[in-house]
Amino acid sequence: MEICSPHPLQQPPQRLHSQPKLSRPSRWSSSLACKNAFGTVWLAFLLFATTMLPAAMALPLKEQELVHVSDEVLKLDLSKISLARRDLADEGLSGSAQVAPTGSAYMLTYYGGPVMVKPMNLYVIWYGNWNGYEDEMENFHHFLDNISTGSWWKLMEQYKNPPTARFKGSAVIPKTSPTLDEAQMRPLIGNLLDQDIFPIDADAMYIFIAGFDTEPNQMTTSGQKYCTVFCGFHSDFASNSTGFTDIKFGVSGMTCPYCGDANPWISLQLTVSHEIAEVITDPLVNQASYVGPPVAWYNEKYGEVGDICNAMPGISVSKAPGVPDQIVQKIWSNKDQRCMP
């Protein structure tokens, strides 16, 4: 798979600095456009749910299982703002891409928190109107199902990552309001678990994707806006109805021109691969009140494994027969002291 040049940022969007920043460019996005070739793999099913999810109708795509993800806000140390939120001011808009960081200053330190080590299950929540995008959605499911077959995934072995990840299922949820805040995403995800549309799974990540009918600035987290401050983020939360306390999730959108390439589906791969890597290596960062447990792999100045290489496209070379290479965001390698692959 070849990579095209990053889409130039002509007018960098303004950042919000009303709150103190944590020196890590956490939740992000990146840039790239090119071929999106995906391997042929089994697909899970595609579920359609009504606005408040009272019922869901399955569209068999192939097999299913479901993952859980979590979303919770982390309070920061002195600034009383979450580690994750503090980083949002430098989130992955393509205009803030760094120049090839190298050297010991970027090394990640392990702070004793948990990492994901068991086979990982990936579930997708398509939020909004996705009519006409069925082929692209299926290609993205293939991308997720193959993401652990290449050189990008192998890099995370140094951080004790899961041996594999598989796409397990998806659901389409119609848009419920003109704007969408992270606080609204949590019950939407929780309802999928509560109604047994997705299973409760401690080894899962839910990937929440706002569709083409969610415009820039219509999606927010802690008052900060999609495409003004961030392109994506990861978090976790507890579900009162199910009693499940570790629901990990990642968020991305489709309409920000600064989150990667002119091709929003390539931008989606970059943003989501960034968030998957961080959910694996630092899943509970949003529960931390200081730089220590439950923080796992982290750099106090530059953030998490994806933040250091924010908006840097890379190619994950396939290690599986018949599975093509994939466009992903690079991640930091302590071993190589640079962004890889």
Side-chain angles (χ1 to χ4, degrees):
M1 189 178 289
E2 60 178 329
I3 301 179
C4 299
S5 300
H7 182 61
L9 178 66
Q10 291 135 7
Q11 180 80 32
Q14 299 195 348
R15 308 277 157 68
L16 302 180
H17 295 289
S18 57
Q19 295 178 317
K21 289 169 49 183
L22 171 72
S23 43
R24 92 169 186 182
S26 176
R27 352 195 132 195
W28 87 294
S29 162
S30 87
S31 66
L32 245 181
C34 237
K35 291 180 170 179
N36 37 331
F38 304 98
T40 309
V41 197
W42 56 266
L43 270 184
F45 67 104
L46 180 63
L47 292 173
F48 288 89
T50 59
T51 300
M52 299 310 294
L53 298 176
M57 177 174 60
L59 281 184
L61 268 176
K62 281 188 181 174
E63 198 178 298
Q64 168 188 1
E65 287 176 28
L66 292 154
V67 188
H68 90 274
V69 182
S70 33
D71 110 73
E72 160 77 24
V73 181
L74 143 76
K75 305 294 181 193
L76 180 74
D77 214 332
L78 302 174
S79 54
K80 307 295 186 187
I81 176 174
S82 81
L83 287 175
R85 300 311 190 275
R86 182 175 169 184
D87 298 334
L88 271 177
D90 290 322
E91 195 48 59
L93 297 159
S94 58
S96 63
Q98 301 145 330
V99 177
T102 59
S104 59
Y106 295 91
M107 295 288 283
L108 294 168
T109 298
Y110 178 62
Y111 286 97
V115 295
M116 297 187 72
V117 295
K118 295 181 180 179
M120 187 179 194
N121 302 314
L122 301 172
Y123 297 87
V124 179
I125 300 163
W126 301 98
Y127 177 80
N129 183 359
W130 293 91
N131 291 338
Y133 294 103
E134 289 79 8
D135 289 346
E136 290 88 348
M137 294 161 73
E138 185 167 324
N139 282 341
F140 184 71
H141 295 163
H142 281 301
F143 168 77
L144 294 177
D145 204 44
N146 291 327
I147 200 165
S148 63
T149 64
S151 57
W152 178 84
W153 189 267
K154 189 169 181 60
L155 283 169
M156 285 188 285
E157 288 181 355
Q158 62 191 291
Y159 308 119
K160 310 299 183 186
N161 68 324
T164 59
R166 300 304 297 265
F167 167 70
K168 294 295 188 175
S170 67
V172 173
I173 303 176
K175 193 171 181 178
T176 57
S177 65
T179 59
L180 178 68
D181 185 72
E182 181 183 357
Q184 296 170 284
M185 298 175 198
R186 300 179 189 185
L188 290 174
I189 297 169
N191 284 344
L192 293 171
L193 302 178
D194 192 36
Q195 299 184 20
D196 295 324
I197 294 170
F198 284 0
I200 295 176
D201 182 350
D203 301 311
M205 173 182 176
Y206 296 107
I207 301 168
F208 189 103
I209 305 170
F212 292 95
D213 50 350
T214 296
E215 299 177 1
N217 297 328
Q218 288 186 334
M219 183 164 56
T220 58
T221 177
S222 295
Q224 298 174 322
K225 297 178 180 180
Y226 167 62
C227 203
T228 297
V229 174
F230 70 91
C231 287
F233 64 90
H234 72 95
S235 192
D236 71 275
F237 73 99
S239 168
N240 292 331
S241 59
T242 63
F244 190 26
T245 59
D246 182 19
I247 303 171
K248 297 176 287 295
F249 72 96
V251 175
S252 184
M254 300 297 293
T255 57
C256 182
Y258 310 114
C259 292
D261 194 78
N263 183 339
W265 294 95
I266 298 299
S267 297
L268 180 65
Q269 290 178 213
L270 298 173
T271 304
V272 169
S273 59
H274 174 124
E275 302 306 337
I276 288 174
E278 294 183 346
V279 166
I280 289 170
T281 59
D282 199 21
L284 302 183
V285 63
N286 292 317
Q287 297 181 18
S289 57
Y290 64 99
V291 182
V295 174
W297 290 99
Y298 192 80
N299 181 296
E300 288 195 56
K301 184 175 182 180
Y302 298 106
E304 297 177 297
V305 68
D307 301 325
I308 299 169
C309 310
N310 197 41
M312 294 181 180
I315 290 294
S316 180
V317 177
S318 175
K319 306 294 184 183
V323 176
D325 298 343
Q326 294 181 317
I327 298 175
V328 292
Q329 192 214 273
K330 292 183 178 183
I331 56 176
W332 176 258
S333 169
N334 271 358
K335 180 180 178 181
D336 301 283
Q337 293 196 25
R338 63 190 180 98
C339 294
M340 299 282 287

